[in-house]
Amino acid sequence: MPTASPLIKLDAVSKHFGEFQALKQVSLEVKRGEKVVICGPSGSGKSTLIRCVNRLEAHESGTIVIDGIKLDENPQNMRKIRSKVGMVFQQFNLFPHLTVLENLMLGPVRARKLSADKARETALTYLGRVRIPEQADKYPRQLSGGQQQRVAIARSLCMEPEILLFDEPTSALDPEMINEVLDVMVELADSGMTMICVTHEMGFAKKVADKMIFMDHGEIVEEATPKKFFAAPESQRCQDFLEKILQH
């Protein structure tokens, strides 16, 4: 059997914000169904990398190809890629004036052109999957932070993405709420979803990651299996980072 081509391929991707170079010739491949966890110090380019994958940020040089489609200025390509890629942010970004159910139905009705009945059915299915079906008629302000983040995950799933990107999804949560979100993410990983997660939750990383990426100063410094990454990191920068983060 020939090796399947990667679902996500970044080749020598660079990105500046003014004088600051956020990404320096970053190359990365992610296979279908693979779970990749990206960690590194603040300002290392982790979030910029995943924001470039769904064109929330436009890369300046290099190429990004998602499922054989090149991510460029072509609006048609951008639409196709956005339909394949969902994203969950640090902040939940829910519409406060809409109920949980209405928040979840909005994208499928507007972007996927589902009927209201089908969108409602889809929304309730994914609310069940993130274990809060009983919150459907509440407003975001009536939910805990952990519940709001689970709604945000369900909202992404309602778009039926092939890839989910997570940008530090637990960093805005109180410690006791972190596990309820991580449990949902573990379940998604177990279901075979292709995932790229920017997170400092190393217990989660050890449990689900197929590949660990350590970034610093806009570069991928280390790429390894979790076993090798945690037991014997090659670079001093990665060793120092892990020592600090694993003490907490």
Side-chain angles (χ1 to χ4, degrees), residues 7 21 37 46 48 50 129 195 199 233:
L7 182 59
Q21 188 165 4
V37 170
K46 311 179 299 290
T48 302
I50 62 169
R129 190 160 174 190
M195 295 164 64
T199 184

Side-chain angles (χ1 to χ4, degrees), residues 50-190:
I50 62 169
R51 287 172 70 86
C52 284
V53 169
N54 70 345
R55 202 63 173 185
L56 287 175
E57 300 288 354
H59 61 291
E60 294 148 358
S61 60
T63 56
I64 300 176
V65 178
I66 313 282
D67 200 14
I69 304 163
K70 189 175 179 184
L71 184 50
D72 52 24
E73 298 298 330
N74 183 326
Q76 199 173 358
N77 284 3
M78 223 180 294
R79 273 196 303 276
K80 281 181 188 169
I81 284 171
R82 287 226 171 116
S83 73
K84 293 174 182 287
V85 182
M87 187 153 178
V88 178
F89 301 87
Q90 291 179 40
Q91 303 299 332
F92 324 121
N93 298 337
L94 301 173
F95 291 109
H97 62 290
L98 300 179
T99 65
V100 166
L101 192 60
E102 288 165 345
N103 267 283
L104 267 59
M105 289 173 62
L106 196 61
V109 168
R110 288 196 178 172
R112 295 181 60 212
K113 309 300 182 194
L114 294 192
S115 68
D117 285 348
K118 183 63 181 168
R120 179 186 174 83
E121 183 187 325
T122 302
L124 289 172
T125 296
Y126 286 117
L127 273 181
R129 190 160 174 190
V130 300
R131 307 175 194 171
I132 45 171
E134 72 286 353
Q135 308 296 345
D137 297 321
K138 290 187 181 174
Y139 288 88
R141 66 179 177 276
Q142 297 173 286
L143 306 183
S144 69
Q147 289 171 330
Q148 288 187 61
Q149 190 59 292
R150 284 189 277 166
V151 171
I153 293 171
R155 178 181 55 188
S156 283
L157 291 171
C158 282
M159 299 302 288
E160 305 282 0
E162 293 178 38
I163 300 159
L164 265 183
L165 310 174
F166 292 87
D167 187 6
E168 303 200 36
T170 58
S171 64
L173 300 178
D174 293 333
E176 66 269 21
M177 294 175 187
I178 288 172
N179 281 340
E180 65 187 58
V181 172
L182 292 178
D183 286 347
V184 168
M185 291 170 65
V186 169
E187 199 175 287
L188 282 174
D190 289 344

